Amino acid sequence: MHFALPPRKTSNPPPYARTSRTSSLRRRQLQFGAIIGCALLVLIFLISHLFGGGAARVPSGTPEVVIMTLMDEENMTKEYINKIKENRKDYAARHGYATFFPSVSDYSIGSSPRSWALLPAVRHALTDHPHTPFIFALSAHALIMNPSLNLQAHLLSPKKLESLMLRDKPVVPPDSVIKTFSHLHGDRIDLILTQDAEGLSQGSFIIRRGDWAEFFLDTWFDPLYRSYNFQKAEGHALEHIVQWHPTILTKLALVPLRVMNSYGVEITSRGGKEVMYKDGDFVVRLVGCEADPNRSCEKEFDVFYNQWKQALGK
């Protein structure tokens, strides 16, 4: 007896007549999720660029320069301080700059000489004026004598700065083996300083805002240096770090003293008559007056203050 064999199964089954409802729903969910993800990425990108990323927006009216002068109210009369402020404010108003007058007592410097307060004062100026590119730190015992000089044209423009920079010059004259670099460009400079015949002269300097400025000020104010009892306190500490930290030297420009730091008295060891103030100079500084018991900063200041007032016709 023969039985019919069952039909063979094909290896190519016929296609389904309709798509599974479950897989179609899954596809739509994935597509919707992708759209939401893309939208979130676009939103994050826009928010980061408008509020958090990119270059910080500089508010309208931000001054290009802040003139910072540290006041030692315990050792200066109120009249003296007011005259200093008058001089700075008059100059700032002419050129759209701002002024900042912190007090030595604002800062904790422990047992270090009071002059060390200069460094946290500069940091304070940078913090209070977060968009201003330059801080001009000028000693209280100094006057701006030529208010017609604009700092950008007189010193800060890269081309002008390059024409003034002292290249291949011993950092601490006369025989320091460490010299200023000869290849630096003006737009790469973050610290503008002067020197006299004895060494660096930090009574008048300009520093550019940025990460380097913070590094430099932190290094200069290091507690280790403050504990060394340098004879000239922060002055000798500055000479030390400039000579032994190439990172600092590569951002430094030395300019001739009379560009921004002429002396009001003749001191042979510091350069004599060559560095003394002459009519038309930008600044006159009464270098060393606060450390010499035979001198009076205020009386010396009044001589130049009266000249300045007379020149302004006040």
Side-chain angles (χ1 to χ4, degrees):
M1 180 175 237
H2 297 281
F3 296 95
L5 294 174
R8 288 186 179 181
K9 291 183 178 179
T10 177
S11 59
N12 297 308
Y16 291 108
R18 57 199 177 112
T19 305
S20 167
R21 190 176 296 175
T22 303
S23 64
S24 178
L25 178 63
R26 177 64 176 164
R27 258 197 319 272
R28 285 198 297 271
Q29 288 174 338
L30 291 173
Q31 289 172 349
F32 182 74
I35 292 170
I36 293 297
C38 289
L40 285 173
L41 288 175
V42 170
L43 183 63
I44 292 170
F45 175 81
L46 291 174
I47 291 175
S48 66
H49 276 69
L50 286 174
F51 302 104
R57 290 186 176 183
V58 178
S60 176
T62 296
E64 186 77 7
V65 178
V66 169
I67 306 165
M68 192 285 297
T69 295
L70 179 66
M71 303 296 189
D72 189 351
E73 294 171 346
E74 290 187 15
N75 296 299
M76 299 168 69
T77 67
K78 194 168 288 188
E79 183 182 6
Y80 187 18
I81 290 174
N82 288 338
K83 289 177 180 177
I84 296 167
K85 289 183 177 181
E86 179 189 2
N87 175 257
R88 308 297 192 266
K89 288 179 178 179
D90 174 86
Y91 177 72
R94 292 170 183 267
H95 300 285
Y97 302 155
T99 56
F100 183 61
F101 303 108
S103 173
V104 170
S105 61
D106 293 340
Y107 311 106
S108 176
I109 55 173
S111 59
S112 303
R114 297 173 67 81
S115 58
W116 275 103
L118 169 67
L119 309 184
V122 175
R123 285 296 298 263
H124 191 175
L126 289 167
T127 301
D128 273 20
H129 299 82
H131 301 287
T132 293
F134 295 102
I135 303 297
F136 177 22
L138 182 60
S139 165
H141 309 303
L143 284 92
I144 297 171
M145 294 296 288
N146 190 344
S148 68
L149 294 177
N150 176 284
L151 276 172
Q152 280 82 358
H154 179 60
L155 183 59
L156 292 178
S157 72
K159 188 174 181 180
K160 181 64 175 180
L161 182 55
E162 287 178 16
S163 72
L164 295 170
M165 289 164 57
L166 301 175
R167 303 174 186 273
D168 202 29
K169 178 93 170 176
V171 172
V172 181
D175 53 5
S176 171
V177 296
I178 308 298
K179 299 181 180 181
T180 56
F181 292 120
S182 59
H183 62 278
L184 299 181
H185 297 287
D187 60 352
R188 307 296 294 174
I189 296 300
D190 288 337
L191 177 65
I192 305 172
L193 195 62
T194 63
Q195 65 173 190
D196 58 27
E198 290 186 355
L200 299 179
S201 185
Q202 75 279 7
S204 175
F205 67 87
I206 295 176
I207 190 167
R208 187 203 302 263
R209 160 180 309 285
D211 293 339
W212 183 90
E214 294 182 9
F215 155 76
F216 166 70
L217 291 170
D218 286 346
T219 302
W220 192 2
F221 196 59
D222 192 300
L224 183 63
Y225 296 137
R226 282 182 280 147
S227 71
Y228 279 172
N229 289 323
F230 288 119
Q231 184 181 0
K232 293 184 179 179
E234 78 286 353
H236 278 162
L238 176 62
E239 293 177 353
H240 175 82
I241 63 173
V242 167
Q243 290 186 96
W244 302 113
H245 288 264
T247 306
I248 293 174
L249 192 58
T250 56
K251 293 290 187 177
L252 169 69
L254 289 181
V255 298
L257 196 82
R258 287 182 50 216
V259 170
M260 58 185 293
N261 196 14
S262 303
Y263 289 169
V265 293
E266 181 180 349
I267 303 176
T268 303
S269 64
R270 304 192 75 156
K273 292 182 179 180
E274 289 186 12
V275 297
M276 285 189 66
Y277 170 79
K278 294 177 178 60
D279 287 345
D281 284 355
F282 179 43
V283 165
V284 60
R285 184 161 75 93
L286 312 172
V287 59
C289 68
E290 69 275 22
D292 188 341
N294 297 317
R295 295 172 61 188
S296 167
C297 294
E298 188 167 358
K299 287 181 179 178
E300 292 181 19
F301 184 95
D302 279 343
V303 173
F304 292 100
Y305 175 81
N306 292 331
Q307 290 181 24
W308 169 71
K309 295 279 281 189
Q310 186 176 4
L312 296 181
K314 294 183 178 181

